Amino acid sequence: MCIGVPAKVITLEEQRALVDVMGSKMYVGILFVPDVKADDYVLLHAGQAMTIIDEAYANESLEEWRNVLNVKHGPVF
């Protein structure tokens, strides 16, 4: 099973993008999403953007991630 984390694309640089994942910024590969643009949401796995997703799905998924993290480790946000 593959677990992906949603991220918002901030900027693009050749074969990578700067993304925001729940407030943390990092660079990820964009080889699998050649049509990605700034402000798109992507699903990340192992440092790669795997697919472009819509904002509603991204927000729903981020809320679930926050719920899981809060239950497992106590409040982190």
Side-chain angles (χ1 to χ4, degrees):
M1 177 172 85
C2 172
I3 298 178
V5 178
K8 184 173 184 176
V9 176
I10 300 169
T11 60
L12 301 168
E13 299 177 9
E14 296 184 23
Q15 295 299 314
R16 67 182 189 165
L18 178 64
V19 298
D20 181 311
V21 180
M22 294 187 279
S24 295
K25 293 178 177 62
M26 65 187 73
Y27 285 97
V28 299
I30 56 172
L31 176 68
F32 301 116
V33 288
D35 297 330
V36 72
K37 305 178 298 295
D39 295 324
D40 280 349
Y41 285 85
V42 293
L43 203 55
L44 302 179
H45 177 70
Q48 295 292 320
M50 302 304 289
T51 189
I52 299 169
I53 58 175
D54 66 44
E55 185 174 0
Y57 177 79
N59 288 330
E60 182 180 320
S61 183
L62 286 168
E63 185 63 30
E64 290 301 319
W65 274 101
R66 286 184 182 96
N67 291 337
V68 167
L69 292 171
N70 284 335
V71 168
K72 194 164 190 170
H73 302 289
V76 291
F77 302 104

